[in-house]
Amino acid sequence: MQKKHKDKSKLESGSWSLEAEAASSLRMIAWEITGVCNLKCAHCRASAISERNPNELSTEECFALIDNIVSFSNPVIILTGGEPLMREDVFDIAKYGMGKGLRMVIATNGTLITDDIARKMAEVGIPRVSVSLDSAIPEVHDKFRGVKGAFEASLKGLEAAKRAGVEFQINTTITKRNIDEIEDILNLTIKIGAVAHHIFLLVPTGRGKELANEEIPPEDYEKVLNWFYDKKKEVPIQLKATCAPHFYRVMRQRAKEEGGKITVQTHGLDAMTRGCLGGTSFCFISHLGQIQPCGYLEIDCGNARKKPFKEIWENSKIFNDLRDFSKLEGKCGICEYKKVCGGCRARAYARTGNYLAEEPYCVYEPKAKQGERIKG
């Protein structure tokens, strides 16, 4: 398990004390152990396929990769896909990682979780699974997921997890088609017994490129994050915004307005450290061994089959660029919140081809830019 910390949360007023920590401290890895999936989700980052790629990392290669990871770090590892439960050795990989002291969690669509699968999760020691629900209306969710009956199958899977004592969180990707029902989705999340609700703002990669016209406009983006901030103080479960780095700016702005302090959990499965984590304390590993800053920022930083993971993590030019906040461009580069937000590097890259460009979905105008406008 992860090493214990005396303080599981920190109180912040204006600045972010974790800035003093090493930017390259690896906290979390999303590991796509397979590209195959039983659903056809409209927004799929991976453009998942129905047949397994014979070149996927073998079981032995997965074990060796875990050995290299633990040689210098102790991150949470998210086993994802595709659909990770479609890989027959998923529990062998999870058990091996747990045996090395890692916290291994599973990101699944939930439709394949049976009582037997849930028992295996519990036996291995999986501390949490995440399941995506993108609507509280079965038909809407099914259309988004591309398979009729997916909604009910996911809920049945969650009930199985609950019976086995495996905690779960709900992930929701916010788009134009579900923005008006996010309150209902949150209420459903609480009702079914989830321990956390993580919202994701659509990033136009994979099949998500086809949903570019369903991205909510920046103004609505801001409204959603402020709504989420308010809800954090009202609901009995953990709330976390992912692929929404502006939330860390919003938190500080709202706390300052209210004259209070920010209390956040900085370790564990619901850790909140800063906005865009890609390449700084988080990375993505593809089923073919390619290392990327995140699953949405499809830039090859090296391959685990060709170089040790540790060497890629520490020496990749792309990773080191992302850790140097002085290299951010446009208004992100002059923003007073750049160390706690940083803008979504994947959206910047998708829009401009430059992963250091300014975040295209941010309405905030930095103080430095406001000053230039006044002078002009």
Side-chain angles (χ1 to χ4, degrees):
M1 299 296 288
Q2 284 187 316
K3 61 183 180 181
K4 295 181 179 179
H5 297 268
K6 291 183 180 180
D7 297 319
K8 296 212 172 181
S9 65
K10 296 190 178 184
L11 296 177
E12 309 294 343
S13 52
S15 63
W16 185 243
S17 64
L18 288 178
E19 291 168 14
E21 293 188 6
S24 59
S25 176
L26 183 58
R27 291 171 173 268
M28 187 172 291
I29 298 173
W31 186 357
E32 175 195 68
I33 59 173
T34 184
V36 69
C37 188
N38 60 321
L39 300 184
K40 300 176 181 178
C41 304
H43 66 307
C44 181
R45 167 205 54 76
S47 293
I49 55 177
S50 58
E51 293 185 13
R52 187 172 169 183
N53 189 324
N55 292 321
E56 284 181 357
L57 294 178
S58 67
T59 306
E60 292 71 25
E61 287 177 310
C62 289
F63 290 171
L65 181 51
I66 289 172
D67 287 341
N68 193 254
I69 290 170
V70 299
S71 71
F72 76 102
S73 61
N74 187 33
V76 173
I77 293 188
I78 308 167
L79 298 178
T80 182
E83 170 50 56
L85 295 181
M86 292 190 75
R87 181 158 171 159
E88 64 275 3
D89 60 352
V90 59
F91 293 115
D92 295 326
I93 296 169
K95 185 176 181 179
Y96 190 82
M98 294 289 289
K100 293 290 182 175
L102 296 175
R103 186 175 292 187
M104 311 288 285
V105 299
I106 295 179
T108 169
N109 60 46
T111 63
L112 301 180
I113 301 178
T114 61
D115 284 320
D116 183 52
I117 291 294
R119 280 194 296 271
K120 288 180 180 178
M121 289 177 175
E123 289 169 2
V124 169
I126 302 297
R128 184 184 296 186
V129 297
S130 64
V131 172
S132 295
L133 289 180
D134 297 305
S135 176
I137 304 169
E139 296 78 14
V140 176
H141 176 85
D142 290 356
K143 186 175 181 181
F144 204 58
R145 294 285 155 178
V147 174
K148 188 175 181 179
F151 182 86
E152 292 300 331
S154 292
L155 290 189
K156 286 181 180 178
L158 291 173
E159 285 299 320
K162 193 187 302 184
R163 284 192 292 271
V166 178
E167 71 175 32
F168 61 89
Q169 72 181 49
I170 297 301
N171 294 344
T172 300
T173 298
I174 306 297
T175 65
K176 288 180 180 178
R177 73 173 73 185
N178 66 2
I179 188 172
D180 292 332
E181 58 165 316
I182 52 176
E183 184 101 32
D184 292 336
I185 298 171
L186 174 57
N187 290 336
L188 175 62
T189 298
I190 296 169
K191 180 181 178 181
I192 61 179
V195 297
H197 190 198
H198 291 197
I199 61 169
F200 292 70
L201 278 297
L202 180 68
V203 180
T205 62
R207 289 194 191 117
K209 292 177 182 177
E210 300 173 14
L211 292 179
N213 63 341
E214 291 205 27
E215 287 183 279
I216 61 175
E219 295 76 17
D220 285 345
Y221 194 142
E222 200 79 359
K223 290 177 183 177
V224 167
L225 296 183
N226 276 279
W227 168 84
F228 208 57
Y229 176 86
D230 291 330
K231 286 297 175 181
K232 280 180 66 67
K233 297 178 287 185
E234 300 175 10
V235 300
I237 64 174
Q238 288 284 343
L239 300 184
K240 184 177 179 181
T242 301
C243 297
H246 318 348
F247 187 61
Y248 293 77
R249 164 180 54 81
V250 169
M251 284 169 53
R252 281 153 187 77
Q253 289 176 306
R254 292 292 301 276
K256 186 176 181 180
E257 291 170 4
E258 297 165 5
K261 293 182 178 181
I262 303 169
T263 303
V264 295
Q265 182 171 320
T266 58
H267 297 284
L269 300 178
D270 297 302
M272 296 180 67
T273 51
R274 69 180 298 270
C276 184
L277 301 177
T280 61
S281 58
F282 171 90
C283 74
F284 172 87
I285 305 173
S286 82
H287 61 289
L288 302 178
Q290 179 170 303
I291 314 297
Q292 303 172 190
C294 79
Y296 299 105
L297 183 47
E298 298 173 331
I299 303 176
D300 187 358
C301 297
N303 194 290
R305 278 180 164 143
K306 299 177 180 178
K307 288 183 180 180
F309 175 84
K310 181 177 185 292
E311 182 179 335
I312 296 171
W313 175 254
E314 294 179 347
N315 300 324
S316 162
K317 179 184 182 303
I318 295 167
F319 285 163
N320 285 312
D321 280 347
L322 293 170
R323 293 165 192 163
D324 185 351
F325 306 135
S326 69
K327 291 188 175 182
L328 292 177
E329 301 175 10
K331 69 178 184 179
C332 285
I334 60 171
C335 184
E336 63 272 25
Y337 293 105
K338 68 181 179 181
K339 290 185 179 180
V340 297
C341 170
C344 176
R345 298 298 94 218
R347 286 194 196 92
Y349 185 73
R351 177 67 65 86
T352 68
N354 176 7
Y355 56 82
L356 296 172
E358 69 179 45
E359 154 76 61
Y361 275 73
C362 179
V363 299
Y364 181 70
E365 191 171 336
K367 289 181 179 179
K369 195 170 183 179
Q370 294 175 24
E372 289 176 5
R373 187 187 63 206
I374 293 173
K375 289 179 183 179

